[in-house]
């Protein structure tokens, strides 16, 4: 029986519990002398309903993972299983096929060997479906009955419901955090596997990047796993070229918006700027690959630079810079606006012009916030993938010439994970090591940025 | 209704002269036809209930109202006989000559030294580091802050106490050697001891600069000023020697206000 049906059943039982508990609470109310209960009847109802549904939800989740395994195990225990090939893809597909036929999602077997397993699967499925159904009913009734029997006129159902709801909210927030931990843990795990095959020193300090997914996985050539060109490409495109575009433009637009634009202009210019942040990065990618990159190449050719390629760090960096202008400008905007008006008045009253006031008072005072914004923008830029995938290149290249093709960490991750290599090949695993380093760098940048912003906020509040 | 001007004002040179000044925020009138002379080397106090337009009027005197987009000023205001609202007037120069101290101390988030040096640098007053050092020292001395901060001129101005910050702001205003200093409730954020220091300072400075001070404290007005103007609902109700205003008010409203029967 599918988990969805069991869940539906759980909700039905919960509803029944809800109605029963409410009726009971109303009965208490009628019987009591002053017609008052410690909690409203709906709280009694919710108390019972939650006690029915929550244990069931936990059970059904577990069951939906456990039952396929149990079914397969019991099929393998039948005598027919002795005929199966011991290992590998064949065995898997035979079993899978028999299972689909047994559960009715396929009409006939293709592999004759599967035939023998259809019947055992059918039996096992029927058996475990029944077990699941019965367990659901038992758990639902047990939870409901336990809660129902605790109902009394003076029972504080409200505080208990509040507590249950609070723990649900807590769990909801933990999900995000735990997921992060899970991601980090899997990254670390794969990274350690990779470093078991390739020395971290070779990885972090080697200057030649050319992993070969077809090479013998047991004996990787460490000189092909030097990640410096990747990190250089990432920094060159994301933190240097993009920032050369984004910092001045973002800062100047923030200054214009906070200090010069009259409210009407500001009211449409600021949202318009923020739309930039909402454009999907793939679209920026098209723009970079189809418009900016050819333009950069033609410009270079017309200036007599003959070896300009159509994939250049410059094109990717320029477009990425435009993409992160809103990040820089909105942080700068916020922090300049957070400088108290009295600073500005004080400076103007000294006879400073608006631009002197901006240069000498507002920007220095807002600097921590501006710097934090820039760091967030950098961490965003170096994690960005689509633009570089489309406009830069996949060739690792250690060069300072912006017209050359370069690659970044994220692009390599995409390339390695979508490539031909098998999953436990060092070339594939190296993607995790790159991801891990990238993760540490962006985490560090974000951490510093948030600290700086917090300090800055405190200074003016 | 006309402003009552007390007759026995001793004759002094007027540093600034406002005639028929009205100020509007959008369509709303905040100052209604005020005329007043600001005497040289005296302290003039503006008093009146909250919202009557004291700050608004004070800010017309160095054109700080220009920074409020909706504000509009009518009438004429002169400084040494020159109309400060004429189109060729250099606002930068005007504000160097007419300095301002605000209600809440607003030192820049820079060092104490840089706070004082700010104005002289902007206006190109000092030639070289030595002269600048000298200006900083003299200004801090005049503001009575030198002894307290001379060993930590590189500390941030915002690290000082409220009273010290306000004296720093006064020193900052003095550093460009203005002719008039406008003060908008300079003590309202300070404790009595810091207030006493500022009042002392105002008394010392009054021989050298024309000072206009807005205050909500009758005692302060009586202690520090020679002239007092009483504002009410955007109008200047009564103007005269401080002693006359406080002992002999002509208008009932003035009397009510200074005796505390009025908000
Ligand atoms: N920026 C502004 N925009 C619109 N109206 C303003 C502005 N500033 C002041 N006003 C209005 O102008 C009138 C005078 O205000 P002003 O600040 O000059 O009063 P004040 O006498 O200084 O009061 P207080 O003693 O409370 O400081 C008030 O009604 C106020 O609401
Ligand atoms: Mg005021």
């Amino acid at each position: 029986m599918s988990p969805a049906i069991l869940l539906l059943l759980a909700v039905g039982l919960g509803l029944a519990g809800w109605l029963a508990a409410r009726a009971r609470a109303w009965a208490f109310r009628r019987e009591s002398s002053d017609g008052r209960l410690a909690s409203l009847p709906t709280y009694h109802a919710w108390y019972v309903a939650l006690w029915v549904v929550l244990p069931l939800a936990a059970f059904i989740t577990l069951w939906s993972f456990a039952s396929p395994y149990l079914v397969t195990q019991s099929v393998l225990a039948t005598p027919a299983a002795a005929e199966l090939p011991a290992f590998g893809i064949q065995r898997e597909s035979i079993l899978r096929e028999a299972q689909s036929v047994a559960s009715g999602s396929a009409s006939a077997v293709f592999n004759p060997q599967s035939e023998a397993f259809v019947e055992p699967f059918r039996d096992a499925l029927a058996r475990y479906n029944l077990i699941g159904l019965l367990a659901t009913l038992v758990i639902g009734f047990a939870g409901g009955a336990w809660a129902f029997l605790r109902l009394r006129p003076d029972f504080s159902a409200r505080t208990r419901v509040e507590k249950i709801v609070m723990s649900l909210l807590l769990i909801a927030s933990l999900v995000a955090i735990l997921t992060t931990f899970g991601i980090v843990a899997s990254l670390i795990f794969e990274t350690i596997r990779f470093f078991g095959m390739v020395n971290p020193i070779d990885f972090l300090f080697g200057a030649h990047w050319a992993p070969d997914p077809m090479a013998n996985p047991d004996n990787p050539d460490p000189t092909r796993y030097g990640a410096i060109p990747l990190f250089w490409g990432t920094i060159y495109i994301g933190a240097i070229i993009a920032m050369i575009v984004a910092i001045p433009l973002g800062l100047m637009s923030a200054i214009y918006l906070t200090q010069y634009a009259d409210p009407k202009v500001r009211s449409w210019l600021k949202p318009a700027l923020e739309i930039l942040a909402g454009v999907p990065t793939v679209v920026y990618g098209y723009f970079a690959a189809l418009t900016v990159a050819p333009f950069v190449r033609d410009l270079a050719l017309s200036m007599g630079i003959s070896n300009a390629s159509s994939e250049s760090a410059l094109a990717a960096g320029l477009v990425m810079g435009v993409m992160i202008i809103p990040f820089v400008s909105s942080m700068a905007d916020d922090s300049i606006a957070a400088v108290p008006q009295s600073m500005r008045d004080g400076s103007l009253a000294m006879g400073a012009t608006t631009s002197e006031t901006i240069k000498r008072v507002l920007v220095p005072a807002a600097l921590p916030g501006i710097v934090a914004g820039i760091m967030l923008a950098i961490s965003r830029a170096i994690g960005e993938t689509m633009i570089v995938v489309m406009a830069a290149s996949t060739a690792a290249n250690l060069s300072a010439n912006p017209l050359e093709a370069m690659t970044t960490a994220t692009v390599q991750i995409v390339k390695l994970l979508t490539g031909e290599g098998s999953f436990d090949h060092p070339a594939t695993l190296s993607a995790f090591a790159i991801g891990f380093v990238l993760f540490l760098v962006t985490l560090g940048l974000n951490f510093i940025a948030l600290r700086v912003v917090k300090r800055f906020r405190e200074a003016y509040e | 209704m006309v402003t009552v001007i007390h007759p026995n004002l001793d004759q002094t040179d007027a540093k600034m002269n406002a005639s028929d000044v009205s100020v509007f925020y959008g369509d709303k009138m905040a100052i209604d036809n005020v005329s007043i002379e600001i005497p040289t080397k005296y302290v003039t106090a503006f008093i009146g209930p909250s919202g009557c337009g004291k700050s608004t009027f004070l800010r017309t005197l160095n054109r700080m109202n220009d920074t409020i987009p909706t504000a509009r000023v009518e009438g004429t205001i002169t400084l040494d006989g020159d109309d400060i609202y004429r189109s060729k007037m250099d606002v930068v120069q005007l504000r160097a000559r007419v300095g301002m101290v605000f209600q809440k101390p607003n030192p820049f988030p820079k060092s104490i030294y840089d706070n004082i040096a700010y104005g002289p640098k902007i206006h190109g007053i000092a030639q070289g580091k030595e002269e600048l050092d000298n200006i900083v020292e003299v200004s801090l001395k005049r503001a009575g802050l030198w002894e307290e901060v001379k060993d930590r001129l590189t500390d941030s101005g915002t690290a000082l106490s409220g009273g010290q910050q306000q004296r720093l702001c006064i020193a900052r205003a003095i550093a460009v050697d203005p002719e008039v200093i406008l003060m908008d409730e300079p003590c309202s954020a300070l404790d009595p001891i810091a207030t006493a220091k500022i009042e002392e300072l105002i008394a010392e400075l009054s021989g050298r600069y024309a000072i206009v001070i807005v205050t909500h404290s009758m005692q302060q007005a009586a202690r520090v000023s020679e002239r007092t103007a009483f504002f009410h609902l955007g109008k200047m109700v009564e103007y005269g020697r401080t002693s006359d205003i406080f002992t002999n008010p002509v208008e009932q409203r003035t009397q009510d206000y200074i005796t505390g029967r009025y908000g």
Side-chain angles (χ1 to χ4, degrees):
Chain A
M1 192 156 304
S2 76
I5 296 178
L6 292 183
L7 271 180
L8 216 59
L9 183 64
V11 171
L13 288 177
L15 185 64
W18 195 91
L19 291 170
R22 200 176 61 150
R24 175 112 169 119
W26 276 111
F28 286 147
R29 188 180 253 194
R30 257 179 270 114
E31 288 157 18
S32 74
S33 48
D34 57 356
R36 298 185 62 138
L37 297 178
S39 304
L40 291 176
T42 43
Y43 282 107
H44 288 85
W46 277 115
Y47 178 68
V48 172
L50 286 171
W51 264 106
V52 173
V53 173
L54 292 181
L56 276 182
F59 166 72
I60 293 170
T61 313
L62 274 180
W63 183 248
S64 64
F65 288 111
S67 66
Y69 175 77
L70 294 173
V71 167
T72 315
Q73 284 304 309
S74 75
V75 169
L76 290 179
T78 59
E83 313 277 305
L84 272 175
F87 214 69
I89 296 182
Q90 260 241 296
R91 174 185 165 104
E92 284 289 301
S93 69
I94 291 171
L95 288 175
R96 190 136 306 150
E97 203 177 12
Q99 183 166 22
S100 349
V101 174
S103 63
S105 57
S107 52
V109 294
F110 170 74
N111 193 329
Q113 264 183 299
S114 298
E115 196 65 62
F117 292 97
V118 172
E119 238 0 80
F121 258 115
R122 212 165 262 156
D123 289 345
L125 278 175
R127 193 162 60 247
Y128 281 104
N129 276 345
L130 191 64
I131 294 176
L133 182 64
L134 288 180
T136 303
L137 289 173
V138 168
I139 294 173
F141 274 109
W146 187 78
F148 192 80
L149 291 177
R150 296 187 70 191
L151 300 185
R152 297 267 178 286
D154 59 351
F155 180 67
S156 52
R158 175 170 27 195
T159 42
R160 278 155 216 262
V161 170
E162 295 285 354
K163 260 190 209 141
I164 297 175
V165 168
M166 199 197 72
S167 3
L168 282 178
L169 296 178
L170 180 68
I171 291 171
S173 64
L174 285 183
V175 167
I177 296 171
L178 289 178
T179 311
T180 312
F181 276 115
I183 292 172
V184 175
S186 74
L187 259 185
I188 291 177
F189 181 73
E190 305 293 350
T191 303
I192 289 174
R193 270 179 73 187
F194 173 69
F195 284 151
M197 305 176 188
V198 174
N199 189 333
I201 307 279
D202 291 330
F203 174 74
L204 289 176
F205 301 106
H208 176 60
W209 179 260
D212 180 1
M214 294 302 139
N216 175 10
D218 299 325
N219 189 17
D221 175 4
T223 61
R224 302 178 73 109
Y225 286 92
I228 294 264
L230 301 189
F231 294 124
W232 165 248
T234 308
I235 289 170
Y236 195 49
I237 294 177
I240 298 179
I241 300 178
M243 287 305 139
I244 288 175
V245 176
I247 293 174
L249 289 180
L251 209 54
M252 286 194 270
S253 65
I255 288 171
Y256 174 73
L257 282 174
T258 53
Q259 302 302 318
Y260 291 101
D262 74 53
K264 242 186 264 156
V265 177
R266 181 182 163 88
S267 72
W268 63 263
L269 206 57
K270 196 167 151 61
L273 195 62
E274 275 154 11
I275 287 177
L276 270 185
V279 176
T281 57
V282 182
V283 176
Y284 282 109
Y286 294 146
F287 179 60
L290 300 181
T291 312
V292 179
F295 175 77
V296 167
R297 183 199 54 209
D298 294 346
L299 196 69
L301 289 177
S302 74
M303 293 191 318
I305 304 167
S306 57
N307 60 348
S309 82
S310 63
E311 293 174 323
S312 65
L314 186 60
L318 287 178
V319 175
M320 198 185 279
V322 173
M323 181 192 84
I324 53 182
I325 287 175
F327 293 84
V328 176
S329 82
S330 80
M331 278 290 279
D333 187 324
D334 287 352
S335 31
I336 291 174
V339 177
Q341 178 69 22
S342 64
M343 293 289 148
R344 190 166 175 255
D345 284 349
S347 172
L348 292 174
M350 294 298 303
T353 61
T354 312
S355 65
E356 281 167 336
T357 302
I358 291 167
K359 198 173 70 198
R360 292 169 181 257
V361 176
L362 298 181
V363 170
L367 202 58
I370 295 172
V371 169
I374 290 171
M375 284 199 274
L376 289 178
I378 292 178
S379 89
R380 162 98 203 189
I382 64 180
E384 164 54 33
T385 317
M386 283 323 292
I387 293 175
V388 260
V389 166
M390 296 172 81
S393 157
T394 52
N397 194 350
L398 192 56
S399 158
N401 178 358
L403 295 173
E404 272 187 44
M406 272 180 221
T407 193
T408 68
T410 50
V411 173
Q412 286 305 306
I413 294 176
V414 171
K415 186 183 158 202
L416 293 166
L417 289 182
T418 56
E420 332 257 88
S422 77
F423 194 71
D424 40 13
H425 192 282
T428 315
L429 289 177
S430 69
F432 293 95
I434 303 170
F436 186 64
V437 174
L438 206 57
F439 172 78
L440 287 185
V441 171
T442 51
L443 187 73
L445 281 173
N446 287 8
F447 183 75
I448 297 171
L450 291 179
R451 287 290 295 263
V452 172
V453 170
K454 186 153 166 269
R455 210 63 85 60
F456 173 63
R457 295 259 151 80
E458 279 163 4
Y460 287 120
E461 270 165 14
Chain B
M1 216 249 352
V2 221
T3 310
V4 177
I5 308 278
H6 285 248
N8 52 346
L9 287 174
D10 30 289
Q11 289 305 302
T12 61
D13 317 331
K15 187 74 196 172
M16 297 192 79
N17 202 329
S19 46
D20 301 326
V21 171
S22 298
V23 184
F24 302 85
Y25 291 113
D27 296 335
K28 202 176 130 252
M29 190 179 229
I31 286 291
D32 183 2
N33 246 322
V34 169
S35 303
I36 189 173
E37 279 185 5
I38 308 292
T40 317
K41 299 185 171 110
Y42 270 167
V43 178
T44 306
F46 290 173
I47 60 171
S50 191
C52 65
K54 307 177 295 292
S55 299
T56 301
F57 185 64
L58 193 73
R59 290 161 63 91
T60 60
L61 299 178
N62 68 344
R63 292 189 54 172
M64 276 301 280
N65 282 333
D66 292 10
T67 63
I68 301 170
T70 56
R72 184 163 53 82
V73 178
E74 284 177 4
T76 49
I77 299 177
T78 58
L79 173 64
D80 285 342
D82 294 333
D83 182 2
I84 65 171
Y85 279 88
R86 71 176 190 273
S87 57
K88 279 206 203 106
M89 184 72 206
D90 181 359
V91 181
V92 168
Q93 283 310 314
L94 170 68
R95 290 184 188 150
R97 292 173 67 190
V98 184
M100 189 161 203
V101 175
F102 294 81
Q103 176 168 1
K104 257 183 69 192
N106 58 348
F108 302 131
K110 298 168 176 287
S111 71
I112 293 171
Y113 184 97
D114 286 338
N115 262 282
I116 310 293
Y118 188 76
K121 274 186 191 160
I122 283 177
H123 297 290
I125 292 175
Q127 261 101 44
K129 169 91 173 119
E130 242 160 73
E131 200 177 338
L132 196 59
D133 288 351
N134 190 42
I135 290 177
V136 170
E137 182 174 341
V138 168
S139 309
L140 282 170
K141 276 185 175 152
R142 276 198 202 146
L145 196 58
W146 176 250
E147 288 305 319
E148 288 157 72
V149 302
K150 66 176 181 221
D151 298 325
R152 47 175 180 143
L153 291 176
T154 52
D155 286 10
S156 171
T158 51
L160 297 171
S161 76
Q164 288 173 325
Q165 286 187 13
Q166 194 62 301
R167 277 180 284 150
L168 181 67
C169 292
I170 293 174
R172 183 174 76 188
I174 292 172
V176 293
D177 203 22
E179 295 153 42
V180 184
I181 302 177
L182 310 174
M183 300 185 177
D184 194 349
E185 304 182 43
C187 303
S188 65
L190 305 181
D191 67 77
I193 293 171
T195 300
K197 281 217 174 102
I198 303 269
E199 286 181 7
E200 219 173 279
L201 177 56
I202 292 171
E204 272 164 34
L205 296 176
S206 70
R208 191 182 287 271
Y209 311 100
I211 295 178
V212 186
I213 177 170
V214 172
T215 176
H216 276 280
S217 155
M218 298 307 114
Q219 291 88 333
Q220 184 170 72
R223 276 194 300 265
V224 303
S225 70
E226 280 86 20
R227 299 287 174 84
T228 295
F230 172 62
F231 286 77
H232 184 224
L233 296 177
K235 294 190 172 69
M236 191 169 87
V237 175
E238 196 162 340
Y239 173 61
R241 290 207 309 219
T242 300
S243 51
D244 291 342
I245 298 279
F246 278 88
T247 54
N248 243 336
V250 175
E251 279 281 330
Q252 186 62 36
R253 282 179 292 170
T254 316
Q255 178 153 13
D256 288 349
Y257 183 72
I258 58 180
T259 53
R261 251 172 294 166
Y262 209 109

